[in-house]
Amino acid sequence: MRYEELTGLVQARAQLPDRQSAERAIRATLETLAERIPGGLADHMAAQLPHEAGEPLRRVAAAHEGTPEERAYRRDHGERFGLTGFAGRIAWRTERTEEEALREAAAFFEVLDSAVDPELMEKLYGVLPNDIRGLLPEARAEQDARAERDTRTERDSRTERGSRTERGSQAERG
């Protein structure tokens, strides 16, 4: 996928006003993601993206500061923060609200899902905590399916309760 195609898709999916907004959302999401995931995974992801998109991943992964032990830990594990921290960092980088930042990040992840190898997306899915994982297309599909099952179960329960109530009323009258 070319960079222009990547930014155009993110712009359309996130309903952003211009390409610069899409580039800002992509850069902020990738920089924040690079802070959260192991450095090796960030490097693999950067290698599968257009150079302009992969650069924030490479830069942040290479710039981790601290003692040699801290750098080694981040290289293997990434920093620990949840969805609130993820949203806050993206919002700060894009100068948007956290809600807008999450919407734009989710749009970017949809595009990323089609831009990189599925195995790489599975690895990304595996290293993120549940709350951030919910932004990824696979997780949202699972959440939607779960919500649909819950709705069906609740509807079936109400129908069954209604049937029992009706049968009970008929038995009392009969």
Side-chain angles (χ1 to χ4, degrees):
M1 178 178 293
R2 292 185 354 265
Y3 185 67
E4 295 75 25
E5 182 181 4
L6 180 79
T7 57
L9 289 169
V10 170
Q11 180 182 350
R13 289 220 171 105
Q15 300 175 343
L16 295 169
D18 52 43
R19 180 180 163 158
Q20 291 76 22
S21 297
E23 289 175 335
R24 223 176 359 264
I26 291 167
R27 187 174 43 256
T29 303
L30 286 171
E31 287 173 350
T32 305
L33 188 62
E35 292 169 341
R36 183 59 182 87
I37 65 176
L41 182 56
D43 290 338
H44 287 295
M45 190 165 291
Q48 291 193 19
L49 291 171
H51 179 75
E52 302 92 320
E55 189 55 34
L57 286 165
R58 288 184 202 92
R59 185 173 22 81
V60 171
H64 282 159
E65 297 178 5
T67 66
E69 293 81 21
E70 290 170 332
R71 287 195 308 272
Y73 181 83
R74 286 191 188 124
R75 185 180 55 250
D76 294 340
H77 303 286
E79 287 183 55
R80 297 290 177 225
F81 53 84
L83 185 62
T84 303
F86 193 77
R89 290 173 188 220
I90 294 172
W92 175 77
R93 287 179 165 122
T94 58
E95 298 179 351
R96 311 272 285 168
T97 68
E98 288 184 6
E99 184 177 302
E100 291 167 326
L102 289 175
R103 181 179 50 81
E104 293 166 11
F108 169 73
F109 283 133
E110 285 181 29
V111 175
L112 181 68
D113 190 51
S114 63
V116 300
D117 184 53
E119 185 178 300
L120 188 58
M121 286 302 290
E122 285 180 33
K123 287 180 181 178
L124 179 63
Y125 189 86
V127 300
L128 293 173
N130 288 336
D131 54 356
I132 297 174
R133 192 182 304 155
L135 297 173
L136 276 63
E138 182 178 329
R140 286 200 312 276
E142 289 175 8
Q143 289 170 347
D144 292 347
R146 217 172 306 125
E148 176 62 28
R149 279 193 307 273
D150 293 348
T151 301
R152 243 181 307 175
T153 301
E154 178 60 30
R155 187 176 52 239
D156 293 347
S157 295
R158 281 195 308 265
T159 302
E160 179 61 28
R161 283 192 305 265
S163 296
R164 275 186 269 145
T165 302
E166 181 61 31
R167 284 192 300 266
S169 295
Q170 289 174 353
E172 289 175 6
R173 285 187 297 234

